[in-house]
Amino acid sequence: MATTTLDPATGLNPDAVDALVHARHGDPFSLLGPHPIGDTPLVRAFFPGADAVEVRARGGGDSLGTLGLVHPAGLFAGPLSRGGPYVFHVRWPDAVQETEDPYSFGLLLGELDLHLFAEGNHYELGRVLGAQPMAVEGVAGTRFSVWAPNARRVSVIGDFNSWDGRRHPMRLRAEAGVWELFVPRVGVGERYKFELTGPDGQVLPQKADPMARASEAAPATASIVARAEAYAWTDQAWMEGRAARHRPDAPISVYEIHAGSWLMVDGRSLDWDEMIDRLVPYVAGMGFTHVELLPIMEHPFGGSWGYQPLGLFAPTGRYGRQEDFARFVDRCHAAGVGVILDWVPAHFPTDAHGLVRFDGTPLYEHADPREGYHQDWNTLIYNLGRNEVRGFLLASACEWLERWHIDGLRVDAVASMLYRDYSRKAGEWVPNKYGGRENLESVDFLKHLNGIVRDRNPGAMTIAEESTAWPGVSAPLEAGGLGFQYKWNMGWMHDSLHYMEEDPINRRWHHDSMTFGMVYAWSEKFMLPLSHDEVVHGKGSLLNKMPGDPWQKRANLRAYYGFMWAHPGKKLLFMGCEIGQWREWNHDASLDWHLLDDPGHAGIQALVRDLNRLYTAEPALHATDAEPAGFTWAVGDDRENSVFAFLRNPPAAGTAEGSGPVLAVSNFTPVPRHDYRIGVPRPGFWREIVNTDAAAYGGSGLGNGGGRESEPIPAHGHPQSLALTVPPLATVWLKPA
């Protein structure tokens, strides 16, 4: 094809044209699209590799003119017979394409949206930035936008333009550092990424969209244009009533799972619809009030279990489509099960297609590795001192709670966020402006997070994985706290597991490990976690932590569960622990469900089911979890026999039918204790409601024959007492009939 000589009348600067055709131009709207000269409409378009471009009136109208090739790289230009909306008819070597001109549309992002984004207070970014299917001037397409303030040029690339960064360069909204472009006829399901030229003029690795609402399943890394329409939810009653389910006086028992390995069929993970059929009824049938998913945000490396996410607005493509995930949440709510997500605002991985040096500069991360590099996980730390980064994370939290109806966020690695010297030696960290080790930006972020969750999503809860003595993690914001609803009690977990790992003959020397938790039990609103972290990396399964032969291991574990479910604090148990799995968790393999063919393992499962049922049914076991009056030691000092006994007291005891106290007694030796006398506050018959040594659970069947009548023999400050048989390696619960 003959090349048309560049027409001086078009006003094109040769250097600008050269920058455009070599994907270096930062202002494509200054060259492309309609540029009238006087009263003459003139259009320029860039179609590398096209044979010819004709312009027609939009809506099937007549031809307005044919554009001439003014640069051999594919720049076409020419006058039109008249103005008005138009479409291109592009003849390629093997096809003909019809499309509207992306460069004929005006500014799209609103000034208020950009202002709120720049100040870090736009909590609905998922509905603004990224890929938003929409109609503009009656034309269907997708508006793409991305924050990259230091880039020289940004293009959106995808299957729709052969992944050619020259084809769709974007417009910079300099007031916020956001690039935008409306691409006609690009719709839901299209794959895309961004191609950026950094401030040094180098083209960066192709970047996935930080705001993508859907992504390809790993190991593929492209973002996907997702539906703008909300899911047709059916859980209004649940959403209106969930606040009562999350109160400190409510029963909360959480089943923590890794979605990919809970159950595998023919070597593959279940998808969301299969989890609706299998997981939801299981969780509900086991009596758990909530299911907690290890991070299901899009993440490149499956071996991170989701804890190194890059797509903080997208459910991973590993288990199906985004609407499938929404349906899963909806079905959980229909079954009376809340959904908690692990959420990771502390750090992100260094994968080239992700956030690292996103626009060629440290944008999401700190520039100084003493602040921006996480030594424990070889990841990067978000720069929470930057408004846009803080707002990005806050909007992610709102997206999960509001778009996906998630009931709670378990915030990962809070301790690493609170301290600037976390896991760092002297000289490896930067003090705050006062010279201290506290990370003031993170503290402000966490308070802001909890404030907007409370204000925008009544009833939703936030839970902190925080392992230090930072004061007031679950204290209200108004009282100077961080504002979380609950904090994982890592101290209780470490101490109690350390005790249980000891041989019973040595437990007398570690007695305080089981009682120390009550010294600080009321300092926070606690959740007792036996999580995935305790059954990986050579730590062994919970069952294999227990001493003794197989029967004793199972007995120890049952006794421990009985102690835990009676102890103040909400409950969390990782999948597989309820069936007494022998091996530690492997994220590439299904749980060992075949173990349930063994009555010993089926008994552990039955015990957990019954513990959940009674925990929910008995107000004494949950309603006073955050009140000192809800707990009284009966026997806390019998280290020689390794026996513990305590009363869980209901609120306003005796005011409601069946709301009396519950006595929990644990014997952590293999020696049965006969006629073991414990003082009780009420006379009469005390019914045995749990015995972890029951034959139905795989135990020896030793117990109290259904209960014991109190005797007028003073003990432990009470005028009445019970003479109990406490089975070996067992916990029993009793309540007044």
Side-chain angles (χ1 to χ4, degrees):
M1 176 187 297
T3 302
T4 303
T5 304
L6 202 64
D7 185 356
T10 63
L12 289 176
N13 181 300
D15 291 338
V17 173
D18 186 70
L20 177 72
V21 301
H22 290 96
R24 297 195 308 271
H25 204 289
D27 185 15
F29 280 81
S30 66
L31 277 72
L32 301 176
H35 288 271
I37 298 178
D39 295 332
T40 303
L42 179 77
V43 170
R44 307 187 194 108
F46 188 49
F47 290 104
D51 290 335
V53 179
E54 181 187 4
V55 182
R56 298 181 183 177
R58 191 185 300 170
D62 55 349
S63 176
L64 303 180
T66 299
L67 306 185
L69 184 65
V70 298
H71 191 285
L75 180 61
F76 293 81
L80 306 183
S81 60
R82 67 174 189 272
Y86 59 90
V87 296
F88 292 130
H89 276 250
V90 186
R91 192 172 77 240
W92 301 93
D94 56 357
V96 175
Q97 175 190 12
E98 180 180 271
T99 182
E100 291 77 12
D101 184 359
Y103 302 96
S104 67
F105 298 93
L107 300 177
L108 299 174
L109 290 170
E111 292 183 4
L112 179 59
D113 285 327
L114 294 175
H115 172 75
L116 291 174
F117 169 69
E119 69 176 18
N121 289 323
H122 201 314
Y123 306 132
E124 298 183 7
L125 285 181
R127 297 166 174 82
V128 177
L129 298 185
Q132 302 293 332
M134 61 178 58
V136 179
E137 299 175 10
V139 176
T142 297
R143 184 188 70 199
F144 295 94
S145 52
V146 64
W147 179 53
N150 303 305
R152 289 190 183 181
R153 184 267 311 177
V154 179
S155 298
V156 59
I157 55 177
D159 294 324
F160 50 86
N161 62 15
S162 301
W163 301 90
D164 186 344
R166 300 173 297 169
R167 291 276 301 278
H168 287 104
M170 305 171 76
R171 183 203 322 252
L172 174 63
R173 303 295 297 276
E175 64 269 38
V178 173
W179 301 74
E180 67 170 18
L181 185 69
F182 176 71
V183 183
R185 307 196 185 201
V186 169
V188 172
E190 292 272 12
R191 301 187 306 154
Y192 71 98
K193 286 186 179 181
F194 295 111
E195 183 180 280
L196 299 87
T197 298
D200 60 358
Q202 297 297 310
V203 178
L204 304 175
Q206 296 177 352
K207 296 288 188 178
D209 182 2
M211 304 292 302
R213 281 178 157 178
S215 301
E216 287 187 292
T221 58
S223 303
I224 296 176
V225 179
R227 295 185 184 279
E229 302 85 5
Y231 175 79
W233 295 93
T234 64
D235 63 348
Q236 181 179 356
W238 169 275
M239 297 295 284
E240 292 174 350
R242 71 178 179 181
R245 299 171 183 264
H246 294 165
R247 289 166 47 94
D249 60 358
I252 299 177
S253 182
V254 181
Y255 186 56
E256 185 191 38
I257 77 155
H258 175 256
S261 58
W262 179 75
L263 175 64
M264 303 182 79
V265 178
D266 298 328
R268 65 166 182 85
S269 302
L270 301 183
D271 61 28
W272 292 119
D273 282 335
E274 290 170 317
M275 282 186 258
I276 289 172
D277 294 336
R278 305 290 291 272
L279 175 63
V280 174
Y282 179 80
V283 175
M286 285 294 295
F288 289 100
T289 63
H290 293 73
V291 62
E292 179 174 323
L293 303 174
L294 271 59
I296 52 91
M297 299 78 187
E298 193 56 75
H299 52 283
F301 176 46
S304 76
W305 316 326
Y307 286 101
Q308 294 190 9
L310 284 176
L312 290 189
F313 290 75
T316 177
R318 289 168 170 84
Y319 313 125
R321 304 168 302 169
Q322 56 166 356
E323 52 265 40
D324 301 333
F325 173 68
R327 186 164 52 254
F328 169 80
V329 176
D330 204 29
R331 296 298 187 272
C332 283
H333 290 169
V337 175
V339 181
I340 301 169
L341 294 188
D342 270 10
W343 184 64
V344 188
H347 62 120
F348 61 89
T350 59
D351 299 71
H353 71 279
L355 302 180
V356 58
R357 297 186 65 85
F358 188 82
D359 64 357
T361 69
L363 189 63
Y364 287 87
E365 69 270 36
H366 293 272
D368 189 335
R370 295 176 300 168
E371 295 183 279
Y373 180 71
H374 214 305
Q375 299 178 133
D376 287 357
W377 302 308
N378 297 322
T379 52
L380 299 174
I381 300 170
Y382 287 104
N383 181 359
L384 295 176
R386 192 188 288 266
N387 288 347
E388 298 89 345
V389 175
R390 184 175 66 252
F392 167 78
L393 291 170
L394 294 172
S396 167
C398 291
E399 181 87 356
W400 293 106
L401 296 171
E402 295 167 15
R403 180 177 176 85
W404 305 105
H405 286 206
I406 296 304
D407 301 295
L409 298 175
R410 179 266 197 186
V411 183
D412 181 62
V414 170
S416 76
M417 300 175 69
L418 291 175
Y419 300 95
R420 286 177 163 267
D421 63 346
Y422 181 88
S423 197
R424 295 180 186 271
K425 300 175 183 177
E428 295 179 346
W429 57 283
V430 179
N432 64 33
K433 62 183 179 180
Y434 303 113
R437 59 196 287 255
E438 299 82 8
N439 192 320
L440 304 179
E441 294 82 4
S442 290
V443 172
D444 179 71
F445 166 78
L446 293 170
K447 289 183 175 181
H448 197 164
L449 165 71
N450 288 316
I452 64 169
V453 169
R454 179 189 63 186
D455 295 343
R456 292 175 62 95
N457 297 277
M461 60 180 169
T462 55
I463 305 159
E465 186 212 15
E466 205 285 312
S467 55
T468 75
W470 186 282
V473 171
S474 60
L477 297 172
E478 295 77 9
L482 294 183
F484 287 91
Q485 275 68 51
Y486 297 100
K487 170 181 170 173
W488 273 21
N489 194 335
M490 309 293 280
W492 175 89
M493 178 271 296
H494 284 297
D495 289 347
S496 62
L497 279 179
H498 169 71
Y499 178 89
M500 294 305 301
E501 289 173 3
E502 289 290 338
D503 189 284
I505 199 171
N506 296 323
R507 285 175 175 165
R508 69 184 67 185
W509 310 113
H510 302 275
H511 194 79
D512 295 343
S513 293
M514 294 293 265
T515 60
F516 182 66
M518 295 312 303
V519 173
Y520 58 86
W522 321 114
S523 62
E524 301 279 2
K525 297 180 184 68
F526 281 121
M527 181 173 287
L528 310 181
L530 293 178
S531 76
H532 64 280
D533 277 330
E534 314 321 316
V535 294
V536 291
H537 299 321
K539 297 178 183 177
S541 69
L542 289 188
L543 184 59
N544 253 331
K545 293 180 192 294
M546 304 296 129
D549 60 31
W551 189 96
Q552 291 174 324
K553 286 179 180 290
R554 287 191 288 266
N556 271 296
L557 186 62
R558 294 193 306 268
Y560 183 41
Y561 286 165
F563 179 87
M564 171 183 174
W565 255 259
H567 194 283
K570 310 310 179 188
K571 323 302 176 192
L572 180 140
L573 189 67
F574 185 58
M575 65 181 199
C577 297
E578 83 279 14
I579 63 174
Q581 184 155 306
W582 286 109
R583 61 176 178 84
E584 67 177 29
W585 170 53
N586 175 7
H587 67 271
D588 286 326
S590 181
L591 296 182
D592 293 336
W593 294 106
H594 64 275
L595 291 175
L596 293 177
D597 294 335
D598 182 329
H601 293 273
I604 296 173
Q605 184 192 49
L607 172 66
V608 172
R609 183 187 301 116
D610 288 348
L611 292 176
N612 276 331
R613 176 179 56 80
L614 287 166
Y615 166 69
T616 300
E618 296 290 340
L621 294 173
H622 61 257
T624 54
D625 272 338
E627 300 177 18
F631 178 93
T632 307
W633 278 116
V635 178
D637 57 357
D638 189 1
R639 64 179 62 245
E640 290 303 313
N641 292 311
S642 296
V643 170
F644 304 85
F646 53 84
L647 286 160
R648 293 300 309 277
N649 306 311
T655 60
E657 184 177 352
S659 62
V662 172
L663 172 67
V665 186
S666 297
N667 173 15
F668 288 115
T669 71
V671 180
R673 307 296 172 187
H674 297 283
D675 294 323
Y676 194 96
R677 189 163 296 279
I678 299 177
V680 291
R682 292 189 186 183
F685 186 78
W686 285 65
R687 183 165 57 91
E688 189 175 75
I689 59 174
V690 164
N691 179 355
T692 68
D693 191 50
Y697 303 142
S700 67
L702 188 64
N704 293 279
R708 283 287 191 271
E709 188 77 27
S710 70
E711 300 174 281
I713 299 175
H716 305 115
H718 297 290
Q720 296 278 323
S721 60
L722 303 174
L724 296 175
T725 295
V726 189
L729 300 175
T731 295
V732 295
W733 296 356
L734 301 101
K735 63 172 290 188

